[in-house]
Amino acid sequence: MAATRKKQLECDVLFEHQDLLALTLAHPQPRKQPQSRTLKDGTRLTLIDSGILAIEPLRPGDSDIVLSCGVHGNETAPIELVNDLVNAIISGELVCRQRLLVQLGNTEAMVKGTRGVQENMNRLFSGAHARGESNPEKARAALLEQTVRDFYNQSGRKRFHYDLHTAIRDSQREKFAVYPYRPGRAWSIEQIRFLAGCGVETILLSHSPTTTYSYYSSNEFGADAFTVELGKVYPFGQNEMSRFEACRKQLSRLIAAQPLEYPPLAQSVVFDVCQVVNKHHEGFRFSFDDAQANFSEYPPGTLLAQDGDTEVRVGAVAESIVFPNAKVALGQRALLTVVPTAIDDRFE
Ligand SMILES: [Zn+2]
């Protein structure tokens, strides 16, 4: 009886005090069973598990939208942004007219204020969580995947997944998105303009499979999916939320099935991912300063990194660095390089 009462209280924190984030930080561990409530307008909210909430209007529009954040637990701005959207829906300020799945990713890392606990969760998707010894992060990645799979349960509907992040380092381009490899499918001009409407005007086209979350939804379910970098990491409460206003408004329009903001295509800058540099030796080091900003550009032939006996150099044209991190585990990606590209017949 007492346990039932306690569970009811936890649920009420969300539905009456209207805060998914507070509830998740107080109870980051797996929940025993889903709990549902219905809003006055008939919208059904189902707390599927800790930090995982499905919002289903009585008569949804044509889109199934996944918004994930906190896959890296210390990337707080997107978590606060998504939580604000959920609060607005619960309070009735924002009317949800599409099926929506919200996920606060790495709950344990969020509580600790760290990027991960044992590993980088954004390398655990497309089944990578099943390799090697199990741990709470792998279990969580499997759960996130499963809830996305359950959510995309009807064919013929539009599928979107925006996996929201902030970067560890400064960036010459504050906001950017990685567009996962999608063999056989053209890149979407509409999506590039949609992201520009979120304030994300730089797009990186990926050309190889990976174990990131956005690639999972793109590859397995044909979703328009992106890893979206919205700025720099700060602790909870220290984000200047005005910097995310364009994104919040555009996502609100998407959820509410209202006309979207589509800036002219010329506003966006697109890069091809050129080199994916994985670390193979413990002594891996960059030849540039550790604090170098994302999108710093280097001329042809420049030595970028030394990995054992292998030298990583810029090729025949100038390349810019993105996500350099010499501290990754062996076998993981230590650097991407990108080169500007045109919006050509690969797009439609
Ligand atoms: Zn991240």
Side-chain angles (χ1 to χ4, degrees):
M1 194 61 196
T4 313
R5 172 87 190 119
K6 183 166 178 286
K7 226 180 275 168
Q8 189 62 53
L9 280 173
E10 286 170 16
C11 194
D12 288 346
V13 174
L14 172 62
F15 295 111
E16 284 166 24
H17 299 273
Q18 309 176 350
D19 201 288
L20 178 64
L21 176 56
L23 177 67
T24 307
L25 293 177
H27 303 278
Q29 64 281 6
R31 298 176 65 89
K32 288 196 175 58
Q33 61 195 45
Q35 284 182 302
S36 294
R37 286 287 172 91
T38 304
L39 299 180
K40 277 193 202 106
D41 67 359
T43 302
R44 191 167 174 80
L45 282 73
T46 308
L47 188 61
I48 297 171
D49 210 314
S50 176
I52 305 178
L53 182 71
I55 304 176
E56 296 173 286
L58 218 45
R59 282 176 289 280
D62 61 0
S63 302
D64 292 343
I65 303 161
V66 178
L67 293 181
S68 56
C69 55
V71 164
H72 294 137
N74 62 345
E75 298 178 359
T76 57
I79 301 171
E80 291 178 342
L81 188 157
V82 167
N83 193 52
D84 285 350
L85 292 174
V86 172
N87 286 346
I89 292 169
I90 295 176
S91 72
E93 192 187 317
L94 173 64
V95 179
C96 180
R97 297 192 195 282
Q98 306 285 8
R99 290 182 73 238
L100 174 65
L101 177 66
V102 165
Q103 296 182 328
L104 312 189
N106 195 337
T107 49
E108 212 181 307
M110 280 166 50
V111 171
K112 291 192 162 78
T114 55
R115 181 174 168 80
V117 179
Q118 278 163 281
E119 48 188 314
N120 177 359
M121 186 183 268
N122 208 18
R123 296 291 177 278
L124 291 178
F125 295 95
S126 295
H129 53 76
R131 284 178 221 141
E133 217 166 292
S134 178
N135 65 38
E137 258 152 353
K138 286 177 174 170
R140 181 75 182 171
L143 176 68
L144 296 178
E145 276 193 355
Q146 186 56 48
T147 52
V148 166
R149 185 179 295 282
D150 293 343
F151 180 69
Y152 288 141
N153 59 1
Q154 295 168 47
S155 57
R157 294 175 54 77
K158 291 184 188 167
R159 292 171 175 168
F160 303 100
H161 181 175
Y162 303 103
D163 183 35
L164 308 177
H165 291 250
T166 45
I168 306 168
R169 63 187 50 242
D170 286 331
S171 181
Q172 292 187 9
R173 298 173 172 275
E174 189 195 41
K175 295 182 171 62
F176 59 98
V178 179
Y179 205 153
Y181 176 54
R182 34 194 258 160
R185 282 194 294 158
W187 309 107
S188 162
I189 286 174
E190 192 183 352
Q191 282 296 297
I192 287 174
R193 293 179 62 200
F194 169 83
L195 287 166
C198 292
V200 180
E201 296 170 351
T202 301
I203 308 291
L204 313 186
L205 306 176
S206 170
H207 299 288
S208 52
T210 167
T211 47
T212 62
Y213 203 8
S214 62
Y215 176 77
Y216 167 74
S217 295
S218 173
N219 185 56
E220 304 232 357
F221 308 106
D224 279 311
F226 294 86
T227 306
V228 185
E229 298 285 346
L230 290 172
K232 207 180 166 185
V233 162
Y234 294 100
F236 280 122
Q238 292 181 29
N239 295 295
E240 207 186 302
M241 292 313 282
S242 63
R243 303 189 79 83
F244 308 96
E245 196 51 19
C247 187
R248 194 188 61 78
K249 281 190 178 151
Q250 182 84 319
L251 292 176
S252 299
R253 291 182 205 108
L254 182 70
I255 291 166
Q258 284 174 351
L260 297 162
E261 197 69 40
Y262 285 118
L265 192 55
Q267 209 162 303
S268 297
V269 178
V270 179
F271 290 83
D272 272 316
V273 171
C274 180
Q275 299 191 54
V276 180
V277 179
N278 292 327
K279 169 178 167 179
H280 297 294
H281 299 87
E282 281 305 342
F284 183 102
R285 59 190 162 80
F286 291 117
S287 50
F288 48 80
D289 189 277
D290 199 44
Q292 200 63 285
N294 279 329
F295 295 96
S296 299
E297 191 185 85
Y298 293 91
T302 308
L303 178 68
L304 294 176
Q306 186 80 39
D307 188 18
D309 291 338
T310 308
E311 289 186 337
V312 179
R313 288 183 182 274
V314 175
V317 297
E319 295 172 26
S320 302
I321 56 164
V322 185
F323 299 132
N325 186 354
K327 297 192 186 87
V328 295
L330 286 183
Q332 292 211 345
R333 186 191 75 198
L335 176 71
L336 286 183
T337 72
V338 299
V339 294
T341 190
I343 294 178
D344 51 22
D345 58 8
R346 296 175 298 167
F347 293 76
E348 66 179 30

